Amino acid sequence: MTNNINGIHHITAIAGDAQRNFDFYTRVLGLRMVKRTVNFDDPGTYHFYYGNETGTPGTILTFFPWEGAAKGRAGTGMATEIGYSVAKDSLEFWAERFRRLNVRHGEIAERMGESYLPFEDPDGLRIELIASKYPDDRKPWATDEVAAEVATKGFHSVTLTLRDVRPTAAILTDVFDYQLEGQEGDRYRYRTDAIPTASIVDLVAAPNMARGLSGGGTNHHVAFRVANEEVQMAFREKILSKGLHITPKINRDYFFSLYFREPGGVLFELATDNPGFTVDEPLDQLGTHLKLPVQYEPMRASIEQSLPILH
Ligand code: ZN
């Protein structure tokens, strides 16, 4: 797995109210907040990271909560569904939980040989719990209300909706070494053998659908996982050789990042495993302090004052 794209690293989405986002992901879904920091490009905004105990790549969903953010619209050129892997017999637990807690959700259904339960977060972000047909022995974070047997294990897949799936598929196969694994209707499933989990990208062909509009309740980008910066820079060369623009390496404190827009319009990132979320907080305290990158530390007092208080 050293020289490969190792599936999804994280997915980043836009939210509205910070407290509502925090309550939903930590209490309703039972994820661990593994880092509370600010948007490095806009320190007046939080950046929340949710994941498993350690914030392992492939389990990390992140949000920019913008108070009063205009609602976005799902559409083409966008990641439109986030798939979480759960144990096979856990979907009934979740359907009942969503009913009781008034979470907008659909019915349990079948797709690509797997049962899944679609739901929306409070901003309308579309997520699915999928009883994965692939082995998944990742150890989930457990809470008082969401026991380990039913908890989400991390990502199963991400779905990209595209006017034309072919140019995006070419990046997945020719650059990222994914293979077409199946098709059902307009949905094409691509998967990598480099890693057993968070290894799927579904492409949905929607030639007549309008372009997505970025805003609350939509995904901002999808980050793919690489072992280290050396592998990352090798992929940078491959992407440049396809004639695509890609940023220089950017230090995100918990990983190093490169960004490029794939030909279908979705913002992709390549993110490293190193150094990880314990770089500035011990494991048992992850997510409990507001952590700032070094350039904003002198402004901590004013930043803390401008951010919404989190209970
Ligand atoms: Zn990112």
Side-chain angles (χ1 to χ4, degrees):
M1 90 182 238
T2 319
N3 297 315
N4 298 62
I5 295 289
N6 294 320
I8 301 166
H9 183 287
H10 66 269
I11 299 171
T12 294
I14 302 167
D17 186 78
Q19 183 73 51
R20 188 175 67 174
N21 179 266
F22 177 77
D23 289 344
F24 185 81
Y25 285 95
T26 60
R27 291 171 194 161
V28 178
L29 264 199
L31 302 179
R32 184 179 197 193
M33 179 178 262
V34 293
K35 196 61 65 182
R36 178 153 59 104
T37 181
V38 293
N39 183 335
F40 286 15
D41 303 315
D42 171 19
T45 304
Y46 276 126
H47 194 182
F48 292 161
Y49 290 79
Y50 303 105
N52 66 358
E53 182 181 11
T54 54
T56 312
T59 73
I60 306 161
L61 179 58
T62 98
F63 287 91
F64 299 126
W66 278 313
E67 304 300 313
K71 211 168 149 48
R73 181 189 67 212
T76 55
M78 198 179 248
T80 49
E81 295 158 34
I82 294 166
Y84 272 103
S85 168
V86 292
K88 282 199 168 35
D89 46 6
S90 70
L91 293 180
E92 284 299 339
F93 164 85
W94 285 104
E96 200 283 318
R97 183 167 175 78
F98 291 161
R99 266 193 296 275
R100 189 161 42 82
L101 299 175
N102 294 317
V103 175
R104 280 177 66 98
H105 66 284
E107 299 298 320
I108 296 171
E110 280 286 315
R111 193 177 63 202
M112 312 287 294
E114 298 170 311
S115 300
Y116 73 103
L117 172 64
F119 67 99
E120 291 181 6
D121 86 353
D123 289 294
L125 188 70
R126 288 190 239 164
I127 310 177
E128 293 157 352
L129 300 177
I130 303 171
S132 182
K133 65 183 173 191
Y134 310 95
D136 188 348
D137 59 4
R138 290 176 292 180
K139 185 173 165 281
W141 178 248
T143 68
D144 290 346
E145 293 185 23
V146 181
E149 305 83 71
V150 294
T152 60
K153 300 179 185 184
F155 296 129
H156 167 280
S157 53
V158 65
T159 297
L160 313 182
T161 298
L162 302 158
R163 289 216 156 189
D164 178 0
V165 299
R166 287 169 295 186
T168 306
I171 297 294
L172 292 178
T173 56
D174 301 356
V175 183
F176 286 6
D177 203 24
Y178 280 58
Q179 292 93 39
L180 178 63
E181 184 164 281
Q183 185 204 344
E184 201 173 290
D186 298 333
R187 181 175 292 264
Y188 299 79
R189 173 157 292 183
Y190 289 84
R191 185 161 171 264
T192 177
D193 294 334
I195 190 158
T197 55
S199 56
I200 293 168
V201 180
D202 280 353
L203 304 183
V204 169
N208 301 314
M209 190 186 285
R211 272 196 78 83
L213 193 66
S214 185
T218 64
N219 289 302
H220 187 266
H221 63 264
V222 179
F224 291 87
R225 176 181 184 186
V226 288
N228 56 49
E229 297 156 73
E230 192 187 330
V231 181
Q232 184 180 43
M233 294 315 271
F235 274 103
R236 187 172 191 276
E237 293 304 312
K238 288 183 197 173
I239 290 154
L240 281 172
S241 76
K242 295 285 176 188
L244 296 169
H245 294 281
I246 183 163
T247 67
K249 185 172 73 177
I250 300 171
N251 183 357
R252 294 301 187 196
D253 281 12
Y254 311 107
F255 42 85
F256 292 90
S257 296
L258 298 173
Y259 301 86
F260 71 102
R261 201 167 289 280
E262 59 81 28
V266 185
L267 186 61
F268 278 4
E269 175 181 347
L270 299 181
T272 59
D273 281 5
N274 61 296
F277 293 101
T278 52
V279 72
D280 61 359
E281 262 175 329
L283 183 61
D284 64 341
Q285 292 173 28
L286 286 184
T288 59
H289 311 93
L290 177 69
K291 304 307 291 190
L292 297 177
V294 64
Q295 67 268 32
Y296 296 136
E297 205 49 73
M299 294 172 258
R300 175 175 280 277
S302 68
I303 288 172
E304 283 185 348
Q305 211 161 33
S306 69
L307 290 168
I309 294 161
L310 211 57
H311 302 285

